[in-house]
Amino acid sequence: MRLAKYLALTGYCSRRAATRLIREGHVIFNDRLANHIDSVTLIDTSDGQDCLEKIVVDGERLKAVEAKAYWLFNKAVGTDSRLLDDLPNSLLHLLPTSPRLYPVGRLDKDSRGLLLLTNDGELTHQLMHPDFGHHKTYHVRVNRNFDEDFLQKMAAGVSYKEVTTLPCTITRLASDSYEIILTQGLNRQIRRMSQALGFKVIDLKRVSIQTLELADLAKGEMRPLSQTELGKLLASIAPN
């Protein structure tokens, strides 16, 4: 198994983040700097699945593969999705110490709603990689009423900062609110799309990721996925 995939399997980070860590020299493989073609040999131990090779990330010996965990979290406005220990409002301070969980994608500090927390790097890769086109649904309120022209332009794709967003599904919820379903995950995408058309987002709430629904989960609360929820999610991202 390639090293980046193994780092994701252990729950240390996503595969994309693992590739970056290797490229930037944060990973030591058998007492030398790792490279992207390094492979590991998996073995079964009393602590779980491990590898024969010695792998150190930022001075910390990599632990055995943890059992996979999947949680839903209703992020409040003000919580920062970055897992930074020195950041007082970081999501890191709300997570259990074991298993090591991290969010699948981010919600910016001023946004709220559904986050999926897991240590399953392969699932994270599937949900985050733009090539797979998985959908996320948001409810958005802007600073003034909008007309049908605004909805049509948002749906067709909006250009800003040398980016043109992919077509999306958008539905009016109220005179100043809409539901939008995206298959992209560009940084602050909804805010920048709205701003490019002359509107400021004043409330942004993610309500679903694929088959997962925020439903009545209270603000700041988290819970594990049920087996039914997990089964539906995995089925929804399985290749056709």
Side-chain angles (χ1 to χ4, degrees):
M1 179 181 292
R2 283 290 173 88
L3 178 58
K5 185 174 181 179
Y6 180 71
L7 261 66
L9 184 65
T10 66
Y12 187 88
C13 60
S14 69
R15 198 195 303 188
R16 183 182 296 181
T19 299
R20 184 175 64 252
L21 289 171
I22 293 168
R23 183 177 64 246
E24 294 177 355
H26 294 270
V27 183
I28 302 298
F29 183 88
N30 285 341
D31 298 320
R32 62 165 173 79
L33 276 178
N35 62 65
H36 71 280
I37 63 171
D38 284 328
S39 296
V40 302
T41 306
L42 297 182
I43 57 174
D44 292 321
T45 74
S46 58
D47 295 322
Q49 203 169 38
D50 206 344
C51 70
L52 290 175
E53 294 76 17
K54 179 184 176 183
I55 302 171
V56 177
V57 184
D58 286 334
E60 177 184 351
R61 179 75 181 262
L62 202 64
K63 297 179 181 178
V65 178
E66 294 180 310
K68 294 294 176 283
Y70 309 87
W71 289 67
L72 293 184
F73 176 61
N74 186 352
K75 187 187 97 63
V77 171
T79 299
D80 196 309
S81 297
R82 295 174 298 171
L83 303 184
L84 301 176
D85 188 58
D86 59 350
L87 196 64
N89 61 342
S90 171
L91 172 63
L92 179 66
H93 304 303
L94 304 177
L95 300 180
T97 55
S98 182
R100 184 199 297 261
L101 299 174
Y102 52 87
V104 178
R106 294 177 181 171
L107 281 173
D108 64 62
K109 188 175 67 172
D110 297 324
S111 301
R112 60 193 178 103
L114 183 63
L115 278 176
L116 173 61
L117 308 172
T118 187
N119 56 2
D120 187 336
E122 286 303 297
L123 176 66
T124 300
H125 177 70
Q126 283 278 331
L127 288 173
M128 290 183 63
H129 200 290
D131 289 350
F132 297 113
H134 301 311
H135 59 262
K136 301 174 181 67
T137 304
Y138 303 81
H139 287 176
V140 185
R141 185 159 63 95
V142 291
N143 60 326
R144 57 191 174 89
N145 296 347
F146 53 80
D147 57 18
E148 293 304 307
D149 183 60
F150 169 79
L151 294 177
Q152 291 172 9
K153 288 179 178 177
M154 289 284 285
V158 178
S159 296
Y160 61 87
K161 291 189 174 182
E162 300 181 353
V163 170
T164 299
T165 62
L166 294 177
C168 62
T169 301
I170 186 166
T171 307
R172 181 187 292 275
L173 297 176
S175 60
D176 62 351
S177 304
Y178 60 86
E179 176 182 275
I180 185 169
I181 302 174
L182 298 181
T183 56
Q184 283 180 296
L186 303 177
N187 185 36
R188 300 178 70 85
Q189 180 175 346
I190 296 171
R191 296 181 186 278
R192 287 173 174 167
M193 289 173 69
S194 299
Q195 184 178 23
L197 297 178
F199 293 81
K200 180 180 179 181
V201 170
I202 58 177
D203 185 48
L204 193 158
K205 179 181 180 182
R206 183 192 284 159
V207 297
S208 73
I209 301 172
Q210 285 290 106
T211 58
L212 300 177
E213 301 284 345
L214 183 62
D216 58 357
L217 184 63
K219 181 176 66 176
E221 294 295 317
M222 63 181 70
R223 65 167 178 82
L225 266 64
S226 68
Q227 285 301 310
T228 298
E229 288 175 318
L230 179 58
K232 288 181 178 179
L233 175 63
L234 296 178
S236 78
I237 66 174
N240 294 327

